Amino acid sequence: MGLSAAAPLWGAPGLLLTIALHLALSLRPAQAWAPVHRDYCVLGAGPAGLQMAYFLQRAGRDYMVFERAPGPGSFFMRYPRHRKLISINKRYTGKTNAEFNLRHDWNSLLSHDPRLLFRHYSDAYYPDASDMVRYLSDFAERLGLHVLYNTTIAHVTLNKDRGAWNGHYFILTDHRGQAYQCSVLLVATGLSVPNQVDFPGSEYADGYESVSVDPKDFVGQNVLILGRGNSAFETAENIFSVTNFIHMLSRSRVRLSWATHYVGDLRAINNGLLDTYQLKSLDGLLESDLTDLAIVKDHQGKFHITLKLFMEAGNQSSDAIPLPQDDNDNFAMRVAYDRVIRCLGWKFDFSIFSKSLRLSSGSELSKKYPLVRASYESKGSRGLFILGTASHSVDYRKSAGGFIHGFRYTVRAVHRLLEQRHHGVAWPSTKHPITHLASAIIRRINEASGLYQMFSVLADVVLLKENATIFEYLEEFPMQMLAQLETITGKRARHGLFVINMEYGRNYSGPDKDVFFSDRSVGHMEDAWLSNFLHPVIYYYRHLPTEQEVRFRPAGWPLPRPWALHHVVEDFLTDWTAPVGHILPLRRFLENCLDTDLRSFYAESCFLFALTHQKLPPFCQQGYLRTQGLVGTESLRQHGVESGLLWDSAITGQRQGANEQQPGDHGPGGHPLAPGPPVSPFSSNKEEL
């Protein structure tokens, strides 16, 4: 029976049927809502997300960044609550080397645009958070990054597919119901969920995320702050001049960043309360496990601290609950408080991720951070990478991976890994004659920012080629992935390798360490291994370490025991260019490892070596015997002219207009070592001898 035969279309039964059909059609998934595919999906347009977007864009990859806010850097729109960042903005170093200056610029992201350096956005050493928001906005806009704003990803799950890069696609669903299919998922959402400790009365505490930032609201009050990190001390710094006193309670002792050498610990800019505590001006610090305590609110609205076990004794009224001072009249927290403020830090938001992704194991650290490998890839899902602050479990309380000046380099390392894995683009490297090895290492340890900031996490790797006549230099490789170097980089490591790392002294960092003891500095090269301050350490391996060797390395070592190890002695100026103290010991170490002579020689010396030795130094093999000459500088050429070994190039250039220079007769500065008529030890032509 047809529809028209059953009832008129707009009659009572027909109207109901029409409405039902309309609802059914509207609820059925339409083609317009089919998943949108992207090779790379980035969650979050904060610093880490934008940094990855930059690298993907430069490589010409198919990607999209998803951001729930109307602009980038939404975290910095609200935090820190008192608006002053603790990341330094050192605008002057006395150097013009851009890479070196990034060592002391903790806010800039990496890009090819010199306008996008944070020094152009603030003059303050500790900038305002609003300057970071403005900077990130310009970074995204000027570079034309693909960011989808006002898009909240509500759910992330897996869809297995043998044709996918990693055997599955990641399916992201936004708040509108639109689905996105991603081959690789890069999560850069940071830590956004406030840490809370559940104990009786914890609901009375104001959270750092919502407490008033107006000091007038705390005038003449007794304040208890729960926590002992930078957010707790930042809050105290804002109000301690107007309160009666501030007590700060935490389960562990204060960790000062200048003692631990970890930038996430308490910074000097926020530690004014330590002065007032130690100088006995009423403020104080206390240690106790919060889970053992309880907060009781009396009929006047005041808060009292008691023990949790007293609360469990029975359902008594607040005035009847026993307090510790009932038995101990010297109880430190016997005073009543007007305000209790919770400042316990942050943790990762796992709520949008399906359990099938296996981002958390339930351990304490994995409740704060997702589970990741040293490559920043999830342990539970191949192709899912954690970037930025949320990836800090790799180097928590060890290095700077949770902060912009650290994770801008770890993000780059992840991108290089992805380029090799999915596009066959090998890890960037340069090849040089073995005679340049010492100078290549010296340049990097004196300039490189990634090595300097991500010490003991990212390291340079030198791969030796057959017969050790050439080496290949790879920058900023994740040290803990050394056993997988060939797979990750697309390079071969069959003839030995050096690993260049930056390290503090083994027993120099810790909350209980005295870092100002009188003989803390090491100045003699024979004591270099005792260096305390950050200094270069070079590891030499004859073979690539195995996964088992890396995993079961000695306690406190960033790598397995090498065949040979060299410490470059610490330097007060972090300038490792002293010819005797730094360069000479390094060269001799390299020579011992390679069983060769890395010195440079005049042509006369090479000629004598050729007559008296079966094996010539590499410099003579690569230069003299191939008529490449001695690489030189203008000062070296002028010295040759003044000593009579060379003729002045202005004169000889006219007399030898018909003679062309050899391609190798230019030094690093482009200065020719002009030959003259006399036989010269600088000469590159064997026939002249």
Side-chain angles (χ1 to χ4, degrees), residues 93-107:
T93 65
K95 305 280 188 179
T96 58
N97 184 287
E99 178 71 12
F100 174 87
N101 287 338
L102 279 173
R103 288 184 168 188
H104 310 287
D105 173 355
W106 291 11
N107 299 285

Side-chain angles (χ1 to χ4, degrees), residues 398-653:
K398 296 177 183 177
S399 197
F403 310 89
I404 292 175
H405 61 291
F407 65 62
R408 61 191 177 195
Y409 301 106
T410 61
V411 169
R412 182 163 65 183
V414 170
H415 176 255
R416 288 170 172 171
L417 181 156
L418 292 170
E419 285 291 293
Q420 162 62 19
R421 178 185 291 184
H422 298 303
H423 309 288
V425 179
W427 196 282
S429 65
T430 55
K431 292 184 179 180
H432 308 274
I434 199 67
T435 51
H436 294 183
L437 180 55
S439 60
I441 294 174
I442 288 294
R443 181 182 64 83
R444 286 287 294 170
I445 64 177
N446 281 286
E447 296 177 1
S449 177
L451 285 181
Y452 194 81
Q453 298 297 358
M454 289 305 297
F455 57 89
S456 296
V457 177
L458 299 181
D460 286 359
V461 179
V462 172
L463 302 179
L464 301 172
K465 299 307 175 182
E466 192 171 4
N467 299 324
T469 57
I470 295 175
F471 69 90
E472 191 169 9
Y473 204 105
L474 285 68
E475 298 178 359
E476 297 161 17
F477 182 82
M479 294 176 66
Q480 298 308 307
M481 300 302 294
L482 189 60
Q484 290 85 42
L485 180 137
E486 293 187 335
T487 301
I488 292 174
T489 65
K491 307 292 183 180
R492 307 284 280 181
R494 300 301 169 87
H495 304 286
L497 65 153
F498 292 96
V499 179
I500 297 93
N501 183 36
M502 302 289 282
E503 300 177 14
Y504 279 97
R506 292 278 161 80
N507 297 305
Y508 190 56
S509 303
D512 59 341
K513 300 296 184 181
D514 175 15
V515 294
F516 297 108
F517 63 94
S518 59
D519 55 347
R520 61 188 178 274
S521 178
V522 175
H524 300 290
M525 56 186 179
E526 60 268 23
D527 297 324
W529 65 282
L530 295 172
S531 294
N532 288 310
F533 287 95
L534 194 66
H535 64 283
V537 182
I538 294 90
Y539 296 72
Y540 172 62
Y541 298 95
R542 289 181 168 176
H543 305 284
L544 192 65
T546 65
E547 290 190 38
Q548 188 174 20
E549 288 171 338
V550 173
R551 182 178 179 183
F552 297 104
R553 62 190 182 275
W557 285 61
L559 288 172
R561 287 189 188 276
W563 187 84
L565 182 70
H566 177 71
H567 289 256
V568 180
V569 68
E570 66 184 43
D571 188 78
F572 183 72
L573 303 175
T574 61
D575 179 9
W576 291 281
T577 58
V580 176
H582 301 134
I583 299 175
L584 179 60
L586 172 62
R587 177 175 63 77
R588 287 178 173 170
F589 166 75
L590 299 174
E591 289 175 336
N592 287 335
C593 293
L594 300 173
D595 190 25
T596 192
D597 192 329
L598 296 179
R599 291 177 295 174
S600 299
F601 295 93
Y602 293 123
E604 181 180 3
S605 299
C606 288
F607 178 70
L608 293 175
F609 272 122
L611 295 177
T612 58
H613 291 71
Q614 292 184 349
K615 180 181 178 181
L616 271 67
F619 181 88
C620 295
Q621 295 179 29
Q622 297 166 4
Y624 175 73
L625 292 183
R626 297 181 184 179
T627 67
Q628 295 299 301
L630 173 68
V631 292
T633 63
E634 176 59 27
S635 61
L636 184 59
R637 189 202 64 81
Q638 187 61 35
H639 177 73
V641 171
E642 293 173 355
S643 63
L645 295 173
L646 290 177
W647 281 26
D648 193 301
S649 59
I651 299 174
T652 59

Side-chain angles (χ1 to χ4, degrees), residues 149-277:
Y149 296 111
N150 298 306
T151 302
T152 300
I153 299 301
H155 187 62
V156 181
T157 189
L158 280 177
N159 181 22
K160 294 188 180 297
D161 190 319
R162 292 183 179 179
W165 287 354
N166 297 293
H168 52 251
Y169 290 110
F170 298 95
I171 305 300
L172 283 57
T173 306
D174 69 15
H175 63 290
R176 305 179 190 90
Q178 174 66 59
Y180 302 87
Q181 178 180 275
C182 316
S183 298
V184 174
L185 179 59
L186 302 151
V187 179
T189 53
L191 305 180
S192 58
V193 179
N195 278 322
Q196 300 193 41
V197 177
D198 185 19
F199 59 89
S202 59
E203 67 274 11
Y204 296 130
D206 295 319
Y208 169 81
E209 66 278 5
S210 59
V211 71
S212 171
V213 295
D214 186 353
K216 294 179 181 178
D217 293 337
F218 300 89
V219 173
Q221 292 188 354
N222 305 342
V223 178
L224 174 64
I225 296 178
L226 307 179
R228 194 158 294 172
N230 278 295
S231 62
F233 277 89
E234 169 204 332
T235 301
E237 195 80 13
N238 184 52
I239 63 175
F240 78 137
S241 63
V242 300
T243 58
N244 294 335
F245 58 80
I246 295 175
H247 289 168
M248 192 173 286
L249 179 66
S250 178
R251 64 183 177 184
S252 59
R253 61 171 294 163
V254 65
R255 297 175 59 91
L256 300 167
S257 62
W258 43 257
T260 62
H261 302 114
Y262 171 59
V263 297
D265 284 333
L266 179 59
R267 304 289 298 287
I269 186 176
N270 287 327
N271 69 11
L273 195 76
L274 296 182
D275 266 7
T276 56
Y277 169 44

